[in-house]
Amino acid sequence: MSREPFKLAGTSVNPGETRLISIPAARLYTDTPVDLPVEIIHSRRPGPVLLVCAAIHGDEINGIEICRRIVGKRLLQRLKGTLLIVPIVNMFGFLQQSRYLPDRRDLNRCFPGSPRGPLGNRLAHLIHTELLNQCTHVIDLHTGAIHRKNLPQVRGDLDDPVALGMAEAFGTPVIMDAKVRDGSLRAAASELGIPAILYEAGEALRFDESSIRAGLRGILAVMRHLGMLAPSKSNNTPRKLVPVKASRSYWLRAERDGIVITKIKLGQRVKEGQLLANLASPFGGPEKPLKSRSDGIVIAASQIPLVNEGEALFHIAEFSTLRKASDSIEAFQEHFENETEQENFKEPL
């Protein structure tokens, strides 16, 4: 029995067809139209409807490159179900290289939105009605904020067994149990009963090749987990990479203004009381040490050595099996960094 066409924004995509559809979203103040591009791959064979989206914060660009590479994969010719790819959700922020919309609102706090009101509400309503309402699963791609880098990690409501299965299949070394935030895309998906996970990796306004490769591989692994793709015949995954769930996490903040002299690296295992950084005045004088409050692993860190008192510097995750988490992170970093270096030394085709 043949499948029905997939309908989006008044356009029909037939089974076996791939189409790029531009949904009218809003206008710039120059009266220039702004569209929401959606790549639709609608298989002849039934299966889940997976939404993969990026740049809901306009300066988080790693996910854009991940989406671009997914579209070019030949294995999607054997897809089951329907894949919706939205590389740039917040086109306004992307154009301005900004996290926010023109009115400084966070689009990821505007869901489910409304057809009237501020721009964020209207964009969120468009995404909610046109995309979320037709999905069965969601993968939302993010990076750290400006001047803040995240270790590759997956976040989701791990009390949801489907979301947990997706998170484990994705294959990052760290899984964070993160409850939904009001107004977020993930909260809107949860209200509709749609399992959603969030991939965090890298830093705003920067491409990080290891994070991009890990994200691409993770999405394809989730698609195999959901039965959208056939199981992989190769086993090109890092040894000892077993995703480990963090039991809790916290941010260490600067206890004075000044210059940060960092003593640790992202992904490093730290002990309670270990020196992470010294905070110093640019005019000399005694330095103030910043020490870890517990054993854990640094999963995010500020990338700018200038700080005001109270600003977040290091995100420390705690694990019930710290050694296992440390081994998994080390294997992950070694695998993807080596893979990137090998790719960079290849002769161009």
Side-chain angles (χ1 to χ4, degrees):
M1 183 176 179
S2 62
R3 298 184 72 194
E4 294 292 324
F6 187 87
K7 296 181 179 180
L8 182 67
T11 300
S12 292
V13 181
N14 293 320
E17 187 179 7
T18 297
R19 290 191 63 179
L20 177 63
I21 293 176
S22 294
I23 306 174
R27 288 180 176 272
L28 301 176
Y29 50 72
T30 59
D31 202 35
T32 303
V34 176
D35 295 336
L36 182 71
V38 183
E39 186 87 16
I40 303 173
I41 305 171
H42 187 48
S43 170
R44 291 187 174 88
R45 295 180 289 180
V49 179
L50 173 64
L51 169 64
V52 177
C53 58
I56 196 168
H57 296 132
D59 59 356
E60 297 182 357
I61 63 174
N62 265 345
I64 299 173
E65 176 62 8
I66 292 171
C67 288
R68 187 188 71 83
R69 296 188 191 185
I70 292 172
V71 173
K73 286 289 182 181
R74 287 185 295 178
L75 57 79
L76 295 181
Q77 296 172 2
R78 302 187 295 275
L79 179 73
K80 293 181 181 178
T82 303
L83 179 61
L84 308 178
I85 301 176
V86 185
I88 307 172
V89 175
N90 180 0
M91 186 64 76
F92 288 89
F94 177 71
L95 290 171
Q96 296 297 321
Q97 300 181 13
S98 168
R99 177 183 181 89
Y100 302 108
L101 294 165
D103 60 0
R104 297 293 296 173
R105 296 189 76 193
D106 185 338
L107 179 55
N108 207 30
R109 298 294 179 270
C110 296
F111 287 86
S114 64
R116 296 179 179 83
L119 175 61
N121 286 18
R122 290 184 281 116
L123 285 176
H125 177 74
L126 175 69
I127 295 162
H128 190 275
T129 54
E130 293 290 351
L131 295 172
L132 279 184
N133 277 332
Q134 302 203 67
C135 293
T136 61
H137 303 79
V138 175
I139 300 176
D140 189 16
L141 306 176
H142 287 256
T143 74
I146 190 78
H147 303 312
R148 189 180 293 172
K149 188 173 183 179
N150 283 344
L151 183 79
Q153 58 198 259
V154 168
R155 301 178 184 180
D157 182 358
L158 304 186
D159 290 333
D160 178 349
V162 180
L164 175 60
M166 293 169 65
E168 291 176 337
F170 201 101
T172 58
V174 175
I175 299 175
M176 304 288 292
D177 189 7
K179 304 308 176 187
V180 296
R181 292 188 176 185
D182 291 343
S184 67
L185 173 69
R186 199 156 58 89
S190 178
E191 286 291 322
L192 295 172
I194 302 169
I197 60 172
L198 187 152
Y199 174 60
E200 287 267 9
E203 172 185 4
L205 293 177
R206 299 287 185 272
F207 275 166
D208 182 87
E209 184 63 26
S210 296
S211 297
I212 291 168
R213 287 178 178 272
L216 174 60
R217 188 166 299 173
I219 292 169
L220 296 177
V222 172
M223 293 175 68
R224 292 186 179 99
H225 170 75
L226 297 176
M228 299 179 72
L229 294 174
S232 177
K233 295 180 181 179
S234 64
N235 186 22
N236 189 23
T237 56
R239 293 181 179 180
K240 297 185 180 180
L241 203 172
V242 179
V244 181
K245 177 181 173 182
S247 55
R248 66 181 291 267
S249 68
Y250 61 91
W251 277 96
L252 278 176
R253 297 180 178 273
E255 298 174 359
R256 63 165 289 180
D257 311 294
I259 294 172
V260 184
I261 305 169
T262 301
K263 302 295 184 180
I264 50 88
K265 296 180 180 180
L266 186 66
Q268 183 174 328
R269 179 178 176 179
V270 297
K271 297 181 179 180
E272 181 180 358
Q274 181 175 337
L275 179 67
L276 305 185
N278 284 318
L279 306 176
S281 166
F283 305 105
E287 298 176 352
K288 186 174 182 61
L290 182 67
K291 298 181 179 180
S292 176
R293 299 202 303 260
S294 66
D295 294 351
I297 291 174
V298 181
I299 62 169
S302 173
Q303 299 297 293
I304 188 168
L306 311 175
V307 68
N308 291 308
E309 184 176 354
E311 289 183 0
L313 291 180
F314 304 105
H315 193 186
I316 310 296
E318 298 176 351
F319 300 85
S320 57
T321 54
L322 184 58
R323 179 60 182 272
K324 184 178 177 181
S326 180
D327 288 347
S328 185
I329 290 170
E330 184 178 344
F332 178 92
Q333 291 176 325
E334 182 179 355
H335 176 85
F336 283 102
E337 288 173 5
N338 288 344
E339 184 182 65
T340 298
E341 290 176 1
Q342 291 168 8
E343 183 69 21
N344 289 341
F345 279 107
K346 285 184 178 180
E347 292 293 330
L349 297 177

PDB file of all heavy atoms in Angstrom, residues 133-154:
ATOM      1  N   ASN A 133       3.659  19.643  15.156  1.00  0.00           N
ATOM      2  CA  ASN A 133       2.396  18.893  15.121  1.00  0.00           C
ATOM      3  C   ASN A 133       2.448  17.676  14.208  1.00  0.00           C
ATOM      4  O   ASN A 133       1.576  16.805  14.294  1.00  0.00           O
ATOM      5  CB  ASN A 133       1.249  19.810  14.668  1.00  0.00           C
ATOM      6  CG  ASN A 133       0.710  20.630  15.821  1.00  0.00           C
ATOM      7  OD1 ASN A 133       0.770  20.217  16.974  1.00  0.00           O
ATOM      8  ND2 ASN A 133       0.183  21.813  15.511  1.00  0.00           N
ATOM      9  N   GLN A 134       3.447  17.604  13.323  1.00  0.00           N
ATOM     10  CA  GLN A 134       3.541  16.484  12.390  1.00  0.00           C
ATOM     11  C   GLN A 134       4.666  15.511  12.735  1.00  0.00           C
ATOM     12  O   GLN A 134       4.862  14.524  12.032  1.00  0.00           O
ATOM     13  CB  GLN A 134       3.749  17.010  10.972  1.00  0.00           C
ATOM     14  CG  GLN A 134       2.652  17.952  10.485  1.00  0.00           C
ATOM     15  CD  GLN A 134       2.597  18.002   8.988  1.00  0.00           C
ATOM     16  OE1 GLN A 134       2.257  17.027   8.320  1.00  0.00           O
ATOM     17  NE2 GLN A 134       2.951  19.139   8.421  1.00  0.00           N
ATOM     18  N   CYS A 135       5.409  15.790  13.819  1.00  0.00           N
ATOM     19  CA  CYS A 135       6.574  14.977  14.160  1.00  0.00           C
ATOM     20  C   CYS A 135       6.224  13.852  15.131  1.00  0.00           C
ATOM     21  O   CYS A 135       5.243  13.922  15.863  1.00  0.00           O
ATOM     22  CB  CYS A 135       7.646  15.850  14.809  1.00  0.00           C
ATOM     23  SG  CYS A 135       8.345  17.039  13.676  1.00  0.00           S
ATOM     24  N   THR A 136       7.095  12.846  15.132  1.00  0.00           N
ATOM     25  CA  THR A 136       7.033  11.809  16.165  1.00  0.00           C
ATOM     26  C   THR A 136       8.241  11.865  17.081  1.00  0.00           C
ATOM     27  O   THR A 136       8.192  11.375  18.212  1.00  0.00           O
ATOM     28  CB  THR A 136       6.956  10.407  15.529  1.00  0.00           C
ATOM     29  OG1 THR A 136       8.134  10.178  14.732  1.00  0.00           O
ATOM     30  CG2 THR A 136       5.720  10.266  14.658  1.00  0.00           C
ATOM     31  N   HIS A 137       9.371  12.474  16.619  1.00  0.00           N
ATOM     32  CA  HIS A 137      10.599  12.583  17.408  1.00  0.00           C
ATOM     33  C   HIS A 137      11.320  13.872  17.004  1.00  0.00           C
ATOM     34  O   HIS A 137      11.161  14.341  15.863  1.00  0.00           O
ATOM     35  CB  HIS A 137      11.539  11.393  17.163  1.00  0.00           C
ATOM     36  CG  HIS A 137      10.920  10.059  17.439  1.00  0.00           C
ATOM     37  ND1 HIS A 137      10.063   9.446  16.544  1.00  0.00           N
ATOM     38  CD2 HIS A 137      11.044   9.213  18.500  1.00  0.00           C
ATOM     39  CE1 HIS A 137       9.673   8.282  17.053  1.00  0.00           C
ATOM     40  NE2 HIS A 137      10.258   8.119  18.220  1.00  0.00           N
ATOM     41  N   VAL A 138      12.132  14.416  17.927  1.00  0.00           N
ATOM     42  CA  VAL A 138      12.849  15.676  17.677  1.00  0.00           C
ATOM     43  C   VAL A 138      14.286  15.565  18.186  1.00  0.00           C
ATOM     44  O   VAL A 138      14.535  15.046  19.276  1.00  0.00           O
ATOM     45  CB  VAL A 138      12.159  16.865  18.378  1.00  0.00           C
ATOM     46  CG1 VAL A 138      12.984  18.144  18.204  1.00  0.00           C
ATOM     47  CG2 VAL A 138      10.747  17.079  17.831  1.00  0.00           C
ATOM     48  N   ILE A 139      15.228  16.067  17.367  1.00  0.00           N
ATOM     49  CA  ILE A 139      16.608  16.289  17.805  1.00  0.00           C
ATOM     50  C   ILE A 139      16.920  17.766  17.571  1.00  0.00           C
ATOM     51  O   ILE A 139      16.888  18.251  16.440  1.00  0.00           O
ATOM     52  CB  ILE A 139      17.615  15.417  17.036  1.00  0.00           C
ATOM     53  CG1 ILE A 139      17.312  13.928  17.236  1.00  0.00           C
ATOM     54  CG2 ILE A 139      19.039  15.722  17.504  1.00  0.00           C
ATOM     55  CD1 ILE A 139      18.213  13.010  16.426  1.00  0.00           C
ATOM     56  N   ASP A 140      17.204  18.479  18.651  1.00  0.00           N
ATOM     57  CA  ASP A 140      17.458  19.916  18.616  1.00  0.00           C
ATOM     58  C   ASP A 140      18.951  20.147  18.841  1.00  0.00           C
ATOM     59  O   ASP A 140      19.509  19.697  19.847  1.00  0.00           O
ATOM     60  CB  ASP A 140      16.617  20.584  19.717  1.00  0.00           C
ATOM     61  CG  ASP A 140      16.635  22.095  19.642  1.00  0.00           C
ATOM     62  OD1 ASP A 140      17.027  22.627  18.587  1.00  0.00           O
ATOM     63  OD2 ASP A 140      16.241  22.745  20.639  1.00  0.00           O
ATOM     64  N   LEU A 141      19.620  20.848  17.919  1.00  0.00           N
ATOM     65  CA  LEU A 141      21.075  21.004  17.938  1.00  0.00           C
ATOM     66  C   LEU A 141      21.473  22.372  18.486  1.00  0.00           C
ATOM     67  O   LEU A 141      20.983  23.402  18.017  1.00  0.00           O
ATOM     68  CB  LEU A 141      21.638  20.824  16.535  1.00  0.00           C
ATOM     69  CG  LEU A 141      21.254  19.515  15.823  1.00  0.00           C
ATOM     70  CD1 LEU A 141      21.792  19.511  14.397  1.00  0.00           C
ATOM     71  CD2 LEU A 141      21.771  18.312  16.592  1.00  0.00           C
ATOM     72  N   HIS A 142      22.381  22.364  19.470  1.00  0.00           N
ATOM     73  CA  HIS A 142      22.823  23.593  20.132  1.00  0.00           C
ATOM     74  C   HIS A 142      24.335  23.588  20.317  1.00  0.00           C
ATOM     75  O   HIS A 142      25.003  22.567  20.147  1.00  0.00           O
ATOM     76  CB  HIS A 142      22.176  23.719  21.516  1.00  0.00           C
ATOM     77  CG  HIS A 142      20.721  24.058  21.476  1.00  0.00           C
ATOM     78  ND1 HIS A 142      20.229  25.319  21.749  1.00  0.00           N
ATOM     79  CD2 HIS A 142      19.638  23.290  21.200  1.00  0.00           C
ATOM     80  CE1 HIS A 142      18.914  25.311  21.651  1.00  0.00           C
ATOM     81  NE2 HIS A 142      18.531  24.096  21.315  1.00  0.00           N
ATOM     82  N   THR A 143      24.876  24.759  20.719  1.00  0.00           N
ATOM     83  CA  THR A 143      26.253  24.870  21.187  1.00  0.00           C
ATOM     84  C   THR A 143      26.212  25.619  22.519  1.00  0.00           C
ATOM     85  O   THR A 143      25.149  26.009  23.009  1.00  0.00           O
ATOM     86  CB  THR A 143      27.150  25.662  20.210  1.00  0.00           C
ATOM     87  OG1 THR A 143      26.825  27.056  20.311  1.00  0.00           O
ATOM     88  CG2 THR A 143      26.966  25.196  18.788  1.00  0.00           C
ATOM     89  N   GLY A 144      27.400  25.848  23.086  1.00  0.00           N
ATOM     90  CA  GLY A 144      27.469  26.737  24.231  1.00  0.00           C
ATOM     91  C   GLY A 144      27.170  28.162  23.792  1.00  0.00           C
ATOM     92  O   GLY A 144      27.100  28.471  22.598  1.00  0.00           O
ATOM     93  N   ALA A 145      27.000  29.043  24.769  1.00  0.00           N
ATOM     94  CA  ALA A 145      26.755  30.452  24.475  1.00  0.00           C
ATOM     95  C   ALA A 145      28.047  31.111  23.992  1.00  0.00           C
ATOM     96  O   ALA A 145      29.099  30.478  23.896  1.00  0.00           O
ATOM     97  CB  ALA A 145      26.218  31.146  25.718  1.00  0.00           C
ATOM     98  N   ILE A 146      27.961  32.405  23.692  1.00  0.00           N
ATOM     99  CA  ILE A 146      29.131  33.132  23.218  1.00  0.00           C
ATOM    100  C   ILE A 146      30.243  33.071  24.270  1.00  0.00           C
ATOM    101  O   ILE A 146      30.005  33.271  25.458  1.00  0.00           O
ATOM    102  CB  ILE A 146      28.757  34.599  22.881  1.00  0.00           C
ATOM    103  CG1 ILE A 146      29.892  35.309  22.161  1.00  0.00           C
ATOM    104  CG2 ILE A 146      28.286  35.352  24.103  1.00  0.00           C
ATOM    105  CD1 ILE A 146      30.008  34.959  20.713  1.00  0.00           C
ATOM    106  N   HIS A 147      31.457  32.754  23.843  1.00  0.00           N
ATOM    107  CA  HIS A 147      32.642  32.636  24.703  1.00  0.00           C
ATOM    108  C   HIS A 147      32.521  31.509  25.733  1.00  0.00           C
ATOM    109  O   HIS A 147      33.177  31.556  26.768  1.00  0.00           O
ATOM    110  CB  HIS A 147      32.938  33.946  25.429  1.00  0.00           C
ATOM    111  CG  HIS A 147      33.128  35.114  24.524  1.00  0.00           C
ATOM    112  ND1 HIS A 147      33.940  35.078  23.413  1.00  0.00           N
ATOM    113  CD2 HIS A 147      32.591  36.372  24.559  1.00  0.00           C
ATOM    114  CE1 HIS A 147      33.911  36.248  22.807  1.00  0.00           C
ATOM    115  NE2 HIS A 147      33.099  37.039  23.466  1.00  0.00           N
ATOM    116  N   ARG A 148      31.666  30.517  25.436  1.00  0.00           N
ATOM    117  CA  ARG A 148      31.513  29.399  26.365  1.00  0.00           C
ATOM    118  C   ARG A 148      31.432  28.113  25.551  1.00  0.00           C
ATOM    119  O   ARG A 148      30.600  27.994  24.654  1.00  0.00           O
ATOM    120  CB  ARG A 148      30.251  29.580  27.206  1.00  0.00           C
ATOM    121  CG  ARG A 148      30.118  28.585  28.336  1.00  0.00           C
ATOM    122  CD  ARG A 148      28.842  28.833  29.121  1.00  0.00           C
ATOM    123  NE  ARG A 148      28.872  30.095  29.830  1.00  0.00           N
ATOM    124  CZ  ARG A 148      27.821  30.621  30.460  1.00  0.00           C
ATOM    125  NH1 ARG A 148      26.662  30.000  30.430  1.00  0.00           N
ATOM    126  NH2 ARG A 148      27.933  31.760  31.096  1.00  0.00           N
ATOM    127  N   LYS A 149      32.303  27.155  25.846  1.00  0.00           N
ATOM    128  CA  LYS A 149      32.381  25.933  25.055  1.00  0.00           C
ATOM    129  C   LYS A 149      31.868  24.744  25.849  1.00  0.00           C
ATOM    130  O   LYS A 149      32.205  24.564  27.018  1.00  0.00           O
ATOM    131  CB  LYS A 149      33.832  25.677  24.623  1.00  0.00           C
ATOM    132  CG  LYS A 149      33.995  24.528  23.632  1.00  0.00           C
ATOM    133  CD  LYS A 149      35.421  24.449  23.109  1.00  0.00           C
ATOM    134  CE  LYS A 149      35.584  23.353  22.064  1.00  0.00           C
ATOM    135  NZ  LYS A 149      36.967  23.294  21.538  1.00  0.00           N
ATOM    136  N   ASN A 150      31.056  23.920  25.194  1.00  0.00           N
ATOM    137  CA  ASN A 150      30.485  22.729  25.813  1.00  0.00           C
ATOM    138  C   ASN A 150      31.168  21.467  25.308  1.00  0.00           C
ATOM    139  O   ASN A 150      31.406  21.315  24.097  1.00  0.00           O
ATOM    140  CB  ASN A 150      28.991  22.616  25.500  1.00  0.00           C
ATOM    141  CG  ASN A 150      28.148  23.560  26.332  1.00  0.00           C
ATOM    142  OD1 ASN A 150      28.610  24.092  27.338  1.00  0.00           O
ATOM    143  ND2 ASN A 150      26.914  23.772  25.926  1.00  0.00           N
ATOM    144  N   LEU A 151      31.453  20.558  26.215  1.00  0.00           N
ATOM    145  CA  LEU A 151      31.825  19.200  25.839  1.00  0.00           C
ATOM    146  C   LEU A 151      30.618  18.554  25.170  1.00  0.00           C
ATOM    147  O   LEU A 151      29.480  18.770  25.605  1.00  0.00           O
ATOM    148  CB  LEU A 151      32.205  18.409  27.088  1.00  0.00           C
ATOM    149  CG  LEU A 151      32.694  16.978  26.882  1.00  0.00           C
ATOM    150  CD1 LEU A 151      34.142  16.987  26.445  1.00  0.00           C
ATOM    151  CD2 LEU A 151      32.558  16.179  28.184  1.00  0.00           C
ATOM    152  N   PRO A 152      30.794  17.795  24.069  1.00  0.00           N
ATOM    153  CA  PRO A 152      29.637  17.136  23.457  1.00  0.00           C
ATOM    154  C   PRO A 152      28.828  16.335  24.471  1.00  0.00           C
ATOM    155  O   PRO A 152      29.368  15.504  25.198  1.00  0.00           O
ATOM    156  CB  PRO A 152      30.277  16.237  22.396  1.00  0.00           C
ATOM    157  CG  PRO A 152      31.519  16.969  22.006  1.00  0.00           C
ATOM    158  CD  PRO A 152      32.027  17.568  23.287  1.00  0.00           C
ATOM    159  N   GLN A 153      27.540  16.613  24.520  1.00  0.00           N
ATOM    160  CA  GLN A 153      26.653  15.997  25.496  1.00  0.00           C
ATOM    161  C   GLN A 153      25.230  16.010  24.965  1.00  0.00           C
ATOM    162  O   GLN A 153      24.878  16.838  24.121  1.00  0.00           O
ATOM    163  CB  GLN A 153      26.714  16.739  26.825  1.00  0.00           C
ATOM    164  CG  GLN A 153      26.340  18.200  26.707  1.00  0.00           C
ATOM    165  CD  GLN A 153      26.790  19.050  27.871  1.00  0.00           C
ATOM    166  OE1 GLN A 153      25.991  19.358  28.740  1.00  0.00           O
ATOM    167  NE2 GLN A 153      28.065  19.463  27.865  1.00  0.00           N
ATOM    168  N   VAL A 154      24.427  15.089  25.449  1.00  0.00           N
ATOM    169  CA  VAL A 154      23.008  15.047  25.091  1.00  0.00           C
ATOM    170  C   VAL A 154      22.190  15.306  26.346  1.00  0.00           C
ATOM    171  O   VAL A 154      22.495  14.775  27.421  1.00  0.00           O
ATOM    172  CB  VAL A 154      22.620  13.687  24.468  1.00  0.00           C
ATOM    173  CG1 VAL A 154      21.114  13.531  24.379  1.00  0.00           C
ATOM    174  CG2 VAL A 154      23.227  13.557  23.077  1.00  0.00           C
TER     175      VAL A 154
END
